[in-house]
C-alpha cells in the first residue's frame, strides 16, 4: 500500500484489529453519516449495495439468559418472540439505547457483533449464509466491515436461526 493509500485508508477500529489478529479477511468500507438517518437501509444506499447484504446488530436482554445479540437483515425488524425462542428465554426486550455504550462499548448506528466489551451469545439470521460477503458495522458510525459471513459467524461463535 502506498503512503497516499495509507493516508486515505479509514482508521482501524477495535473490531478490525481483532479480525486482523485472528487472520480474518475483511474490507473497511467508509460512508457518509447522517445523524438523523442511521438505519441499515440508509447505509446500504450510502455504500451502493443491496439492502439484503447489510446486517444490523441488535442487543437484547432475556429474562433467563441475560444479554445476547441478534444480527438481522437491515430491512427487517427483530421478532422478539423468535429472539426469545432461539435464546432460551421466555421474554426478551431490546436494551435501552443509553445502556448500549456502557454494555458493549459501541453507540447506536455503530454497534458491531465483533469486539464488544465482553462476548455475548450471538445469533445470526440464517439468510446471512446465502451471500459471499455481507456488511456489518465496523464499530463506529460511518464505517462498515465487508466480510464473508462464514468468517463472521465463526469468529463470534455465533448460531444461526
Amino acid at each position: 500500500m502506498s503512503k497516499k493509500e495509507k493516508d486515505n485508508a479509514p482508521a482501524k477500529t477495535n473490531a478490525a484489529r481483532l479480525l486482523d489478529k485472528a487472520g480474518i479477511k475483511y474490507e473497511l468500507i467508509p460512508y457518509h453519516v447522517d445523524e438523523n438517518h442511521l438505519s441499515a437501509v440508509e447505509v446500504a444506499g450510502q455504500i451502493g449495495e443491496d439492502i439484503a447484504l447489510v446486517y444490523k446488530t441488535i442487543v437484547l436482554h432475556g429474562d433467563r439468559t441475560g444479554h445476547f445479540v441478534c444480527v438481522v437483515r437491515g430491512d427487517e425488524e427483530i421478532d422478539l418472540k423468535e429472539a426469545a425462542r432461539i435464546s432460551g428465554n421466555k421474554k426478551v426486550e431490546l436494551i435501552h439505547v443509553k445502556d448500549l455504550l456502557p454494555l458493549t462499548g459501541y453507540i447506536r448506528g455503530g454497534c458491531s457483533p465483533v469486539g464488544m466489551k465482553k462476548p455475548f451469545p450471538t445469533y445470526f439470521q440464517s439468510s446471512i449464509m446465502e451471500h459471499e460477503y455481507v456488511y456489518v458495522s465496523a464499530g463506529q458510525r460511518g464505517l462498515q466491515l465487508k466480510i464473508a459471513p462464514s468468517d463472521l459467524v465463526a469468529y463470534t461463535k455465533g448460531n444461526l436461526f
Side-chain angles (χ1 to χ4, degrees):
M1 181 182 289
S2 72
K3 179 168 174 19
K4 185 176 181 179
E5 288 172 323
K6 281 184 183 174
D7 290 344
N8 290 331
K12 292 266 176 140
T13 62
N14 187 47
R17 285 188 290 277
L18 290 169
L19 293 173
D20 286 344
K21 187 175 178 183
I24 295 174
K25 289 183 186 176
Y26 65 89
E27 279 181 65
L28 289 174
I29 309 297
Y31 65 94
H32 173 73
V33 178
D34 178 345
E35 299 290 328
N36 298 314
H37 300 95
L38 296 173
S39 74
V41 173
E42 183 71 23
V43 170
Q46 286 284 334
I47 63 174
E49 282 284 7
D50 185 332
I51 185 60
L53 298 173
V54 178
Y55 282 74
K56 58 188 174 185
T57 305
I58 301 169
V59 183
L60 302 105
H61 185 267
D63 62 341
R64 294 181 178 163
T65 65
H67 294 100
F68 66 99
V69 176
C70 285
V71 181
V72 299
R73 226 174 90 158
D75 60 345
E76 296 187 11
E77 294 296 319
I78 185 81
D79 178 336
L80 295 179
K81 287 184 180 182
E82 174 76 353
R85 186 189 65 73
I86 64 168
S87 64
N89 288 285
K90 197 169 190 124
K91 181 181 172 201
V92 301
E93 58 188 17
L94 300 172
I95 67 164
H96 194 280
V97 73
K98 72 175 176 51
D99 298 326
L100 189 61
L101 180 61
L103 183 67
T104 67
Y106 294 129
I107 61 172
R108 180 177 167 266
C111 188
S112 179
V114 176
M116 291 189 185
K117 282 185 173 182
K118 68 179 245 185
F120 295 109
T122 304
Y123 302 90
F124 291 86
Q125 198 171 34
S126 60
S127 63
I128 201 167
M129 300 307 284
E130 297 169 6
H131 309 289
E132 181 182 339
Y133 61 87
V134 293
Y135 296 88
V136 294
S137 175
Q140 70 182 41
R141 291 177 182 167
L143 200 58
Q144 291 282 296
L145 287 171
K146 180 180 180 182
I147 188 169
S150 56
D151 289 340
L152 180 61
V153 172
Y155 180 81
T156 60
K157 297 178 177 57
N159 297 292
L160 300 175
F161 71 94

